Amino acid sequence: MRVRSLTLVVAAVASVPLLTGTASAAPADMNAPYARAAARVAADGSLLSTKNVSSSARLNGRPAGYYCVQVSDPTVDLRDAAVLATVNNQRAMITAIPNSSCNGQTRTITIVTTNYNNDPVDVPFTVAVM
Protein backbone atom coordinates (compact mmCIF):
# COMPACT_ATOMS: atom_id res chain seq x y z
CA MET A 1 0.00 0.00 0.00
CA ARG A 2 2.83 2.41 0.83
CA VAL A 3 4.56 1.74 -2.51
CA ARG A 4 1.32 2.37 -4.39
CA SER A 5 0.75 5.70 -2.58
CA LEU A 6 4.31 6.78 -3.30
CA THR A 7 3.87 5.91 -6.97
CA LEU A 8 0.69 8.01 -7.19
CA VAL A 9 2.39 10.99 -5.52
CA VAL A 10 5.40 10.77 -7.86
CA ALA A 11 3.10 10.56 -10.90
CA ALA A 12 1.10 13.58 -9.72
CA VAL A 13 4.22 15.68 -9.08
CA ALA A 14 5.71 14.68 -12.44
CA SER A 15 2.58 15.89 -14.27
CA VAL A 16 2.48 19.36 -12.65
CA PRO A 17 4.93 21.00 -15.10
CA LEU A 18 2.80 19.78 -17.99
CA LEU A 19 -0.29 21.44 -16.57
CA THR A 20 1.31 24.75 -15.61
CA GLY A 21 3.52 25.38 -18.64
CA THR A 22 3.20 28.55 -20.71
CA ALA A 23 3.07 26.87 -24.11
CA SER A 24 -0.27 27.28 -25.83
CA ALA A 25 -1.93 24.48 -27.71
CA ALA A 26 -2.96 24.76 -31.32
CA PRO A 27 -6.58 25.82 -31.75
CA ALA A 28 -9.11 23.04 -32.08
CA ASP A 29 -10.85 22.25 -35.35
CA MET A 30 -14.22 23.95 -35.56
CA ASN A 31 -17.35 22.05 -36.52
CA ALA A 32 -18.89 24.46 -39.04
CA PRO A 33 -20.06 22.32 -41.99
CA TYR A 34 -21.81 25.12 -43.89
CA ALA A 35 -19.21 27.86 -43.38
CA ARG A 36 -16.28 28.31 -45.76
CA ALA A 37 -14.25 29.73 -42.87
CA ALA A 38 -14.95 30.26 -39.17
CA ALA A 39 -13.20 31.02 -35.90
CA ARG A 40 -13.93 31.24 -32.20
CA VAL A 41 -11.65 33.91 -30.72
CA ALA A 42 -10.79 34.73 -27.09
CA ALA A 43 -10.97 38.29 -25.74
CA ASP A 44 -7.15 38.58 -26.01
CA GLY A 45 -7.30 37.75 -29.75
CA SER A 46 -6.05 34.17 -29.54
CA LEU A 47 -7.74 31.48 -31.63
CA LEU A 48 -9.75 28.91 -29.70
CA SER A 49 -11.10 26.91 -32.66
CA THR A 50 -10.92 27.37 -36.41
CA LYS A 51 -11.94 26.29 -39.86
CA ASN A 52 -9.85 27.77 -42.70
CA VAL A 53 -8.58 30.61 -40.47
CA SER A 54 -4.82 30.96 -40.04
CA SER A 55 -4.59 33.67 -37.37
CA SER A 56 -6.31 36.24 -35.22
CA ALA A 57 -4.78 39.05 -33.20
CA ARG A 58 -5.45 42.45 -31.73
CA LEU A 59 -5.17 45.24 -34.31
CA ASN A 60 -1.81 47.01 -33.96
CA GLY A 61 -1.96 50.47 -32.43
CA ARG A 62 -5.65 50.33 -31.55
CA PRO A 63 -7.36 50.32 -28.18
CA ALA A 64 -9.31 47.36 -26.85
CA GLY A 65 -11.96 45.82 -29.08
CA TYR A 66 -10.15 45.82 -32.45
CA TYR A 67 -9.11 42.47 -33.97
CA CYS A 68 -7.83 41.01 -37.25
CA VAL A 69 -8.91 37.53 -38.36
CA GLN A 70 -7.08 36.08 -41.37
CA VAL A 71 -8.75 33.52 -43.64
CA SER A 72 -6.26 30.89 -44.81
CA ASP A 73 -8.20 29.47 -47.78
CA PRO A 74 -7.15 31.47 -50.89
CA THR A 75 -10.36 30.48 -52.72
CA VAL A 76 -12.53 32.42 -50.24
CA ASP A 77 -13.21 35.85 -51.74
CA LEU A 78 -14.23 38.11 -48.86
CA ARG A 79 -15.51 40.78 -51.26
CA ASP A 80 -18.44 38.55 -52.23
CA ALA A 81 -18.91 36.61 -48.98
CA ALA A 82 -21.49 36.89 -46.26
CA VAL A 83 -19.56 37.47 -43.03
CA LEU A 84 -21.40 36.87 -39.77
CA ALA A 85 -20.08 37.65 -36.29
CA THR A 86 -21.43 37.39 -32.77
CA VAL A 87 -20.07 38.04 -29.30
CA ASN A 88 -19.82 35.03 -27.00
CA ASN A 89 -21.61 35.20 -23.63
CA GLN A 90 -21.25 38.96 -23.31
CA ARG A 91 -23.49 42.03 -23.59
CA ALA A 92 -21.71 43.90 -26.33
CA MET A 93 -22.01 44.89 -29.98
CA ILE A 94 -19.86 43.59 -32.81
CA THR A 95 -19.02 44.74 -36.33
CA ALA A 96 -17.30 42.56 -38.93
CA ILE A 97 -15.62 44.34 -41.85
CA PRO A 98 -14.24 42.13 -44.63
CA ASN A 99 -11.30 43.95 -46.16
CA SER A 100 -8.07 43.32 -48.04
CA SER A 101 -5.56 44.44 -45.42
CA CYS A 102 -5.47 44.34 -41.63
CA ASN A 103 -2.17 44.47 -39.71
CA GLY A 104 -0.52 44.34 -43.17
CA GLN A 105 -2.09 40.95 -44.00
CA THR A 106 -4.46 40.11 -46.84
CA ARG A 107 -7.69 38.05 -46.76
CA THR A 108 -8.63 39.49 -43.38
CA ILE A 109 -11.73 40.51 -41.46
CA THR A 110 -11.55 43.46 -39.08
CA ILE A 111 -13.67 42.86 -35.99
CA VAL A 112 -14.71 45.73 -33.70
CA THR A 113 -16.41 45.00 -30.37
CA THR A 114 -17.98 47.76 -28.26
CA ASN A 115 -20.14 48.09 -25.17
CA TYR A 116 -23.53 49.84 -25.23
CA ASN A 117 -21.86 53.22 -24.70
CA ASN A 118 -19.95 52.57 -27.95
CA ASP A 119 -16.64 52.26 -26.07
CA PRO A 120 -14.23 49.63 -27.48
CA VAL A 121 -14.13 46.57 -25.22
CA ASP A 122 -12.34 43.20 -25.44
CA VAL A 123 -14.81 40.32 -25.60
CA PRO A 124 -14.69 36.80 -27.04
CA PHE A 125 -16.45 36.33 -30.36
CA THR A 126 -17.21 33.95 -33.21
CA VAL A 127 -16.96 34.87 -36.88
CA ALA A 128 -18.07 32.84 -39.92
CA VAL A 129 -17.66 33.32 -43.67
CA MET A 130 -20.56 31.84 -45.62
Side-chain angles (χ1 to χ4, degrees):
M1 181 70 168
R2 183 177 174 123
V3 172
R4 184 175 181 187
S5 297
L6 182 59
T7 303
L8 291 174
V9 169
V10 170
V13 171
S15 67
V16 169
L18 296 176
L19 299 175
T20 60
T22 58
S24 62
D29 289 336
M30 185 171 218
N31 182 12
Y34 302 108
R36 294 187 286 163
R40 197 165 50 96
V41 180
D44 67 359
S46 60
L47 285 172
L48 300 174
S49 59
T50 68
K51 176 183 179 180
N52 293 329
V53 170
S54 58
S55 67
S56 68
R58 294 282 310 280
L59 183 60
N60 291 340
R62 291 294 198 147
Y66 287 80
Y67 304 90
C68 293
V69 176
Q70 185 176 32
V71 175
S72 59
D73 185 345
T75 65
V76 175
D77 186 353
L78 292 173
R79 295 173 298 179
D80 298 326
V83 177
L84 308 170
T86 185
V87 294
N88 297 344
N89 302 320
Q90 302 284 327
R91 289 185 52 113
M93 295 180 283
I94 189 166
T95 304
I97 308 161
N99 56 15
S100 60
S101 180
C102 182
N103 276 350
Q105 300 172 334
T106 58
R107 290 189 317 275
T108 59
I109 303 163
T110 301
I111 300 289
V112 180
T113 55
T114 58
N115 63 19
Y116 286 99
N117 292 323
N118 207 28
D119 299 319
V121 60
D122 288 337
V123 295
F125 62 90
T126 300
V127 61
V129 179
M130 308 309 281

mmCIF file of all heavy atoms in Angstrom, residues 57-91:
data_model
loop_
_atom_site.group_PDB
_atom_site.id
_atom_site.type_symbol
_atom_site.label_atom_id
_atom_site.label_comp_id
_atom_site.label_asym_id
_atom_site.label_seq_id
_atom_site.Cartn_x
_atom_site.Cartn_y
_atom_site.Cartn_z
ATOM 1 N N ALA A 57 -5.599 38.265 -34.116
ATOM 2 C CA ALA A 57 -4.777 39.050 -33.198
ATOM 3 C C ALA A 57 -5.437 40.398 -32.987
ATOM 4 O O ALA A 57 -6.307 40.814 -33.753
ATOM 5 C CB ALA A 57 -3.378 39.246 -33.767
ATOM 6 N N ARG A 58 -5.016 41.077 -31.945
ATOM 7 C CA ARG A 58 -5.449 42.452 -31.726
ATOM 8 C C ARG A 58 -4.879 43.319 -32.841
ATOM 9 O O ARG A 58 -3.777 43.089 -33.324
ATOM 10 C CB ARG A 58 -4.931 42.941 -30.379
ATOM 11 C CG ARG A 58 -5.513 42.248 -29.155
ATOM 12 C CD ARG A 58 -6.915 42.728 -28.799
ATOM 13 N NE ARG A 58 -7.023 44.168 -28.741
ATOM 14 C CZ ARG A 58 -6.639 44.917 -27.705
ATOM 15 N NH1 ARG A 58 -6.157 44.358 -26.627
ATOM 16 N NH2 ARG A 58 -6.748 46.213 -27.739
ATOM 17 N N LEU A 59 -5.604 44.319 -33.266
ATOM 18 C CA LEU A 59 -5.173 45.235 -34.311
ATOM 19 C C LEU A 59 -4.090 46.151 -33.758
ATOM 20 O O LEU A 59 -4.276 46.792 -32.711
ATOM 21 C CB LEU A 59 -6.356 46.052 -34.815
ATOM 22 C CG LEU A 59 -6.115 47.021 -35.958
ATOM 23 C CD1 LEU A 59 -5.623 46.296 -37.198
ATOM 24 C CD2 LEU A 59 -7.388 47.778 -36.270
ATOM 25 N N ASN A 60 -2.954 46.213 -34.419
ATOM 26 C CA ASN A 60 -1.808 47.013 -33.965
ATOM 27 C C ASN A 60 -2.182 48.481 -33.784
ATOM 28 O O ASN A 60 -2.825 49.073 -34.641
ATOM 29 C CB ASN A 60 -0.657 46.924 -34.969
ATOM 30 C CG ASN A 60 -0.030 45.558 -34.997
ATOM 31 O OD1 ASN A 60 -0.164 44.780 -34.061
ATOM 32 N ND2 ASN A 60 0.649 45.241 -36.075
ATOM 33 N N GLY A 61 -1.784 49.045 -32.670
ATOM 34 C CA GLY A 61 -1.956 50.468 -32.431
ATOM 35 C C GLY A 61 -3.367 50.902 -32.083
ATOM 36 O O GLY A 61 -3.647 52.085 -32.014
ATOM 37 N N ARG A 62 -4.274 49.975 -31.874
ATOM 38 C CA ARG A 62 -5.651 50.330 -31.553
ATOM 39 C C ARG A 62 -5.960 49.994 -30.099
ATOM 40 O O ARG A 62 -5.327 49.144 -29.503
ATOM 41 C CB ARG A 62 -6.632 49.566 -32.451
ATOM 42 C CG ARG A 62 -6.601 49.978 -33.882
ATOM 43 C CD ARG A 62 -7.099 51.404 -34.021
ATOM 44 N NE ARG A 62 -7.462 51.662 -35.397
ATOM 45 C CZ ARG A 62 -8.434 52.462 -35.749
ATOM 46 N NH1 ARG A 62 -9.133 53.084 -34.844
ATOM 47 N NH2 ARG A 62 -8.703 52.666 -37.000
ATOM 48 N N PRO A 63 -6.969 50.655 -29.551
ATOM 49 C CA PRO A 63 -7.361 50.318 -28.180
ATOM 50 C C PRO A 63 -8.061 48.960 -28.147
ATOM 51 O O PRO A 63 -8.167 48.279 -29.155
ATOM 52 C CB PRO A 63 -8.333 51.447 -27.827
ATOM 53 C CG PRO A 63 -8.900 51.869 -29.135
ATOM 54 C CD PRO A 63 -7.781 51.708 -30.130
ATOM 55 N N ALA A 64 -8.570 48.620 -27.019
ATOM 56 C CA ALA A 64 -9.314 47.365 -26.853
ATOM 57 C C ALA A 64 -10.433 47.271 -27.882
ATOM 58 O O ALA A 64 -10.940 48.283 -28.369
ATOM 59 C CB ALA A 64 -9.896 47.319 -25.448
ATOM 60 N N GLY A 65 -10.800 46.045 -28.232
ATOM 61 C CA GLY A 65 -11.956 45.824 -29.083
ATOM 62 C C GLY A 65 -11.700 45.773 -30.573
ATOM 63 O O GLY A 65 -12.640 45.617 -31.337
ATOM 64 N N TYR A 66 -10.463 45.877 -31.029
ATOM 65 C CA TYR A 66 -10.146 45.823 -32.454
ATOM 66 C C TYR A 66 -9.309 44.575 -32.730
ATOM 67 O O TYR A 66 -8.259 44.386 -32.116
ATOM 68 C CB TYR A 66 -9.357 47.058 -32.898
ATOM 69 C CG TYR A 66 -10.185 48.310 -32.964
ATOM 70 C CD1 TYR A 66 -10.484 49.029 -31.819
ATOM 71 C CD2 TYR A 66 -10.668 48.773 -34.182
ATOM 72 C CE1 TYR A 66 -11.247 50.182 -31.873
ATOM 73 C CE2 TYR A 66 -11.424 49.927 -34.251
ATOM 74 C CZ TYR A 66 -11.711 50.628 -33.087
ATOM 75 O OH TYR A 66 -12.471 51.769 -33.151
ATOM 76 N N TYR A 67 -9.768 43.741 -33.667
ATOM 77 C CA TYR A 67 -9.111 42.473 -33.970
ATOM 78 C C TYR A 67 -8.973 42.276 -35.481
ATOM 79 O O TYR A 67 -9.742 42.841 -36.261
ATOM 80 C CB TYR A 67 -9.938 41.292 -33.439
ATOM 81 C CG TYR A 67 -10.250 41.349 -31.981
ATOM 82 C CD1 TYR A 67 -11.397 41.979 -31.514
ATOM 83 C CD2 TYR A 67 -9.409 40.751 -31.046
ATOM 84 C CE1 TYR A 67 -11.698 42.018 -30.163
ATOM 85 C CE2 TYR A 67 -9.703 40.785 -29.698
ATOM 86 C CZ TYR A 67 -10.844 41.419 -29.267
ATOM 87 O OH TYR A 67 -11.143 41.455 -27.928
ATOM 88 N N CYS A 68 -8.005 41.449 -35.863
ATOM 89 C CA CYS A 68 -7.830 41.010 -37.249
ATOM 90 C C CYS A 68 -7.921 39.491 -37.282
ATOM 91 O O CYS A 68 -7.231 38.818 -36.528
ATOM 92 C CB CYS A 68 -6.456 41.402 -37.788
ATOM 93 S SG CYS A 68 -6.242 43.164 -37.975
ATOM 94 N N VAL A 69 -8.771 38.971 -38.173
ATOM 95 C CA VAL A 69 -8.912 37.530 -38.362
ATOM 96 C C VAL A 69 -8.540 37.246 -39.811
ATOM 97 O O VAL A 69 -9.130 37.820 -40.729
ATOM 98 C CB VAL A 69 -10.349 37.062 -38.064
ATOM 99 C CG1 VAL A 69 -10.505 35.585 -38.353
ATOM 100 C CG2 VAL A 69 -10.725 37.384 -36.622
ATOM 101 N N GLN A 70 -7.550 36.366 -40.021
ATOM 102 C CA GLN A 70 -7.079 36.081 -41.374
ATOM 103 C C GLN A 70 -7.593 34.727 -41.857
ATOM 104 O O GLN A 70 -7.391 33.696 -41.197
ATOM 105 C CB GLN A 70 -5.554 36.088 -41.453
ATOM 106 C CG GLN A 70 -5.065 35.910 -42.878
ATOM 107 C CD GLN A 70 -3.560 36.003 -42.990
ATOM 108 O OE1 GLN A 70 -2.844 35.632 -42.081
ATOM 109 N NE2 GLN A 70 -3.099 36.506 -44.118
ATOM 110 N N VAL A 71 -8.256 34.738 -43.010
ATOM 111 C CA VAL A 71 -8.754 33.523 -43.645
ATOM 112 C C VAL A 71 -7.597 32.879 -44.401
ATOM 113 O O VAL A 71 -6.888 33.540 -45.154
ATOM 114 C CB VAL A 71 -9.917 33.852 -44.597
ATOM 115 C CG1 VAL A 71 -10.379 32.631 -45.364
ATOM 116 C CG2 VAL A 71 -11.073 34.474 -43.813
ATOM 117 N N SER A 72 -7.397 31.576 -44.193
ATOM 118 C CA SER A 72 -6.260 30.888 -44.806
ATOM 119 C C SER A 72 -6.570 30.323 -46.187
ATOM 120 O O SER A 72 -5.659 30.107 -46.984
ATOM 121 C CB SER A 72 -5.771 29.753 -43.898
ATOM 122 O OG SER A 72 -6.808 28.821 -43.671
ATOM 123 N N ASP A 73 -7.833 30.075 -46.501
ATOM 124 C CA ASP A 73 -8.200 29.474 -47.784
ATOM 125 C C ASP A 73 -8.183 30.539 -48.879
ATOM 126 O O ASP A 73 -9.008 31.449 -48.881
ATOM 127 C CB ASP A 73 -9.592 28.844 -47.679
ATOM 128 C CG ASP A 73 -10.006 28.085 -48.926
ATOM 129 O OD1 ASP A 73 -9.362 28.258 -49.986
ATOM 130 O OD2 ASP A 73 -10.973 27.316 -48.847
ATOM 131 N N PRO A 74 -7.252 30.438 -49.854
ATOM 132 C CA PRO A 74 -7.152 31.474 -50.894
ATOM 133 C C PRO A 74 -8.347 31.505 -51.841
ATOM 134 O O PRO A 74 -8.526 32.483 -52.568
ATOM 135 C CB PRO A 74 -5.862 31.123 -51.631
ATOM 136 C CG PRO A 74 -5.629 29.686 -51.347
ATOM 137 C CD PRO A 74 -6.240 29.405 -50.005
ATOM 138 N N THR A 75 -9.187 30.482 -51.834
ATOM 139 C CA THR A 75 -10.357 30.480 -52.721
ATOM 140 C C THR A 75 -11.532 31.252 -52.132
ATOM 141 O O THR A 75 -12.513 31.498 -52.828
ATOM 142 C CB THR A 75 -10.806 29.034 -53.030
ATOM 143 O OG1 THR A 75 -11.261 28.412 -51.825
ATOM 144 C CG2 THR A 75 -9.675 28.227 -53.649
ATOM 145 N N VAL A 76 -11.461 31.648 -50.867
ATOM 146 C CA VAL A 76 -12.529 32.425 -50.240
ATOM 147 C C VAL A 76 -12.325 33.892 -50.581
ATOM 148 O O VAL A 76 -11.336 34.502 -50.189
ATOM 149 C CB VAL A 76 -12.549 32.221 -48.709
ATOM 150 C CG1 VAL A 76 -13.586 33.133 -48.063
ATOM 151 C CG2 VAL A 76 -12.807 30.770 -48.364
ATOM 152 N N ASP A 77 -13.267 34.448 -51.352
ATOM 153 C CA ASP A 77 -13.210 35.854 -51.739
ATOM 154 C C ASP A 77 -14.093 36.644 -50.778
ATOM 155 O O ASP A 77 -15.319 36.574 -50.853
ATOM 156 C CB ASP A 77 -13.683 36.022 -53.178
ATOM 157 C CG ASP A 77 -13.522 37.434 -53.693
ATOM 158 O OD1 ASP A 77 -13.163 38.345 -52.903
ATOM 159 O OD2 ASP A 77 -13.746 37.641 -54.894
ATOM 160 N N LEU A 78 -13.474 37.378 -49.882
ATOM 161 C CA LEU A 78 -14.229 38.112 -48.864
ATOM 162 C C LEU A 78 -15.068 39.249 -49.443
ATOM 163 O O LEU A 78 -16.021 39.693 -48.813
ATOM 164 C CB LEU A 78 -13.277 38.651 -47.795
ATOM 165 C CG LEU A 78 -12.622 37.592 -46.923
ATOM 166 C CD1 LEU A 78 -11.579 38.215 -46.012
ATOM 167 C CD2 LEU A 78 -13.657 36.841 -46.107
ATOM 168 N N ARG A 79 -14.732 39.692 -50.651
ATOM 169 C CA ARG A 79 -15.506 40.783 -51.263
ATOM 170 C C ARG A 79 -16.929 40.351 -51.587
ATOM 171 O O ARG A 79 -17.836 41.173 -51.625
ATOM 172 C CB ARG A 79 -14.818 41.286 -52.521
ATOM 173 C CG ARG A 79 -13.466 41.938 -52.252
ATOM 174 C CD ARG A 79 -12.760 42.252 -53.523
ATOM 175 N NE ARG A 79 -12.522 40.979 -54.229
ATOM 176 C CZ ARG A 79 -11.927 40.869 -55.405
ATOM 177 N NH1 ARG A 79 -11.531 41.941 -56.037
ATOM 178 N NH2 ARG A 79 -11.733 39.697 -55.950
ATOM 179 N N ASP A 80 -17.127 39.058 -51.850
ATOM 180 C CA ASP A 80 -18.441 38.554 -52.230
ATOM 181 C C ASP A 80 -19.036 37.613 -51.191
ATOM 182 O O ASP A 80 -20.008 36.917 -51.466
ATOM 183 C CB ASP A 80 -18.336 37.804 -53.567
ATOM 184 C CG ASP A 80 -17.886 38.720 -54.694
ATOM 185 O OD1 ASP A 80 -18.254 39.904 -54.682
ATOM 186 O OD2 ASP A 80 -17.165 38.243 -55.580
ATOM 187 N N ALA A 81 -18.469 37.566 -50.001
ATOM 188 C CA ALA A 81 -18.914 36.613 -48.983
ATOM 189 C C ALA A 81 -19.843 37.270 -47.971
ATOM 190 O O ALA A 81 -19.749 38.466 -47.713
ATOM 191 C CB ALA A 81 -17.699 36.035 -48.259
ATOM 192 N N ALA A 82 -20.702 36.450 -47.406
ATOM 193 C CA ALA A 82 -21.494 36.889 -46.259
ATOM 194 C C ALA A 82 -20.667 36.594 -45.019
ATOM 195 O O ALA A 82 -20.274 35.454 -44.787
ATOM 196 C CB ALA A 82 -22.812 36.128 -46.207
ATOM 197 N N VAL A 83 -20.362 37.630 -44.244
ATOM 198 C CA VAL A 83 -19.560 37.474 -43.032
ATOM 199 C C VAL A 83 -20.468 37.753 -41.836
ATOM 200 O O VAL A 83 -21.070 38.822 -41.741
ATOM 201 C CB VAL A 83 -18.350 38.430 -43.038
ATOM 202 C CG1 VAL A 83 -17.564 38.311 -41.749
ATOM 203 C CG2 VAL A 83 -17.457 38.146 -44.245
ATOM 204 N N LEU A 84 -20.553 36.766 -40.955
ATOM 205 C CA LEU A 84 -21.398 36.870 -39.771
ATOM 206 C C LEU A 84 -20.523 36.834 -38.526
ATOM 207 O O LEU A 84 -19.559 36.069 -38.475
ATOM 208 C CB LEU A 84 -22.379 35.700 -39.720
ATOM 209 C CG LEU A 84 -23.206 35.469 -40.983
ATOM 210 C CD1 LEU A 84 -23.953 34.161 -40.893
ATOM 211 C CD2 LEU A 84 -24.157 36.629 -41.204
ATOM 212 N N ALA A 85 -20.865 37.638 -37.527
ATOM 213 C CA ALA A 85 -20.083 37.651 -36.288
ATOM 214 C C ALA A 85 -21.023 37.850 -35.106
ATOM 215 O O ALA A 85 -22.039 38.537 -35.221
ATOM 216 C CB ALA A 85 -19.039 38.759 -36.327
ATOM 217 N N THR A 86 -20.648 37.243 -33.996
ATOM 218 C CA THR A 86 -21.428 37.389 -32.768
ATOM 219 C C THR A 86 -20.491 37.354 -31.570
ATOM 220 O O THR A 86 -19.458 36.697 -31.614
ATOM 221 C CB THR A 86 -22.495 36.277 -32.653
ATOM 222 O OG1 THR A 86 -23.304 36.517 -31.513
ATOM 223 C CG2 THR A 86 -21.875 34.909 -32.560
ATOM 224 N N VAL A 87 -20.852 38.101 -30.534
ATOM 225 C CA VAL A 87 -20.068 38.044 -29.296
ATOM 226 C C VAL A 87 -20.485 36.796 -28.525
ATOM 227 O O VAL A 87 -21.614 36.329 -28.646
ATOM 228 C CB VAL A 87 -20.221 39.314 -28.439
ATOM 229 C CG1 VAL A 87 -19.634 40.513 -29.143
ATOM 230 C CG2 VAL A 87 -21.667 39.559 -28.082
ATOM 231 N N ASN A 88 -19.568 36.258 -27.746
ATOM 232 C CA ASN A 88 -19.823 35.032 -26.997
ATOM 233 C C ASN A 88 -20.067 35.352 -25.532
ATOM 234 O O ASN A 88 -19.167 35.831 -24.849
ATOM 235 C CB ASN A 88 -18.629 34.079 -27.104
ATOM 236 C CG ASN A 88 -18.379 33.627 -28.522
ATOM 237 O OD1 ASN A 88 -19.233 33.762 -29.383
ATOM 238 N ND2 ASN A 88 -17.212 33.088 -28.766
ATOM 239 N N ASN A 89 -21.264 35.091 -25.056
ATOM 240 C CA ASN A 89 -21.606 35.199 -23.635
ATOM 241 C C ASN A 89 -21.297 36.573 -23.040
ATOM 242 O O ASN A 89 -20.839 36.678 -21.920
ATOM 243 C CB ASN A 89 -20.887 34.119 -22.826
ATOM 244 C CG ASN A 89 -21.235 32.739 -23.320
ATOM 245 O OD1 ASN A 89 -22.381 32.466 -23.647
ATOM 246 N ND2 ASN A 89 -20.238 31.877 -23.403
ATOM 247 N N GLN A 90 -21.514 37.600 -23.780
ATOM 248 C CA GLN A 90 -21.254 38.962 -23.307
ATOM 249 C C GLN A 90 -22.395 39.863 -23.773
ATOM 250 O O GLN A 90 -23.074 39.558 -24.743
ATOM 251 C CB GLN A 90 -19.946 39.509 -23.883
ATOM 252 C CG GLN A 90 -18.725 38.698 -23.574
ATOM 253 C CD GLN A 90 -18.270 38.909 -22.159
ATOM 254 O OE1 GLN A 90 -18.410 39.973 -21.596
ATOM 255 N NE2 GLN A 90 -17.709 37.874 -21.566
ATOM 256 N N ARG A 91 -22.560 40.990 -23.109
ATOM 257 C CA ARG A 91 -23.486 42.025 -23.586
ATOM 258 C C ARG A 91 -22.624 43.080 -24.258
ATOM 259 O O ARG A 91 -22.045 43.932 -23.604
ATOM 260 C CB ARG A 91 -24.266 42.610 -22.432
ATOM 261 C CG ARG A 91 -25.286 41.639 -21.862
ATOM 262 C CD ARG A 91 -26.102 42.330 -20.819
ATOM 263 N NE ARG A 91 -26.651 43.571 -21.350
ATOM 264 C CZ ARG A 91 -27.934 43.798 -21.567
ATOM 265 N NH1 ARG A 91 -28.806 42.893 -21.286
ATOM 266 N NH2 ARG A 91 -28.345 44.945 -22.050
#
